[in-house]
Amino acid sequence: ALARALRSLGYGRRAREEAEIALRYGTRLPRTQRLRIQAFACRMQGDAACTVTQLRQLLAAEPANVAAATELALALESAGRPY
């Protein structure tokens, strides 16, 4: 949540750092929470393929997750890939 807030405030570098910290310390979180963190970290690193992969895995685990579906659509669009 902190990384997302920092990103929305325009602190991209700090948001990337916080996403990396969340990845390091989130190993005991439930799989779906780790996937959300991983997708955000990939997005902050500019890795569209990684972002799409993580979001697809999240949607496979939570098919009714509208937020993840929306994020996936945006990630695919920004990567220039078809839905």
Side-chain angles (χ1 to χ4, degrees), residues 38-65:
Q38 290 168 338
F40 184 78
C42 291
R43 187 167 148 207
M44 292 307 303
Q45 295 169 356
D47 188 342
C50 176
T51 304
V52 167
T53 298
Q54 300 305 316
L55 289 170
R56 282 188 171 148
Q57 289 180 26
L58 178 57
L59 277 174
E62 295 180 339
N65 187 329

Side-chain angles (χ1 to χ4, degrees), residues 4-74:
R4 286 184 188 272
L6 289 167
R7 181 179 169 269
S8 69
L9 292 170
Y11 298 102
R13 184 180 58 79
R14 184 76 174 118
R16 278 189 299 279
E17 292 169 1
E18 289 299 325
E20 291 299 322
I21 290 169
L23 280 175
R24 257 194 323 268
Y25 292 104
T27 57
R28 292 187 173 182
L29 291 172
R31 181 174 181 265
T32 55
Q33 289 181 349
R34 285 194 321 270
L35 287 169
R36 282 186 197 100
I37 293 169
Q38 290 168 338
F40 184 78
C42 291
R43 187 167 148 207
M44 292 307 303
Q45 295 169 356
D47 188 342
C50 176
T51 304
V52 167
T53 298
Q54 300 305 316
L55 289 170
R56 282 188 171 148
Q57 289 180 26
L58 178 57
L59 277 174
E62 295 180 339
N65 187 329
V66 176
T70 302
E71 286 184 46
L72 176 59
L74 292 171

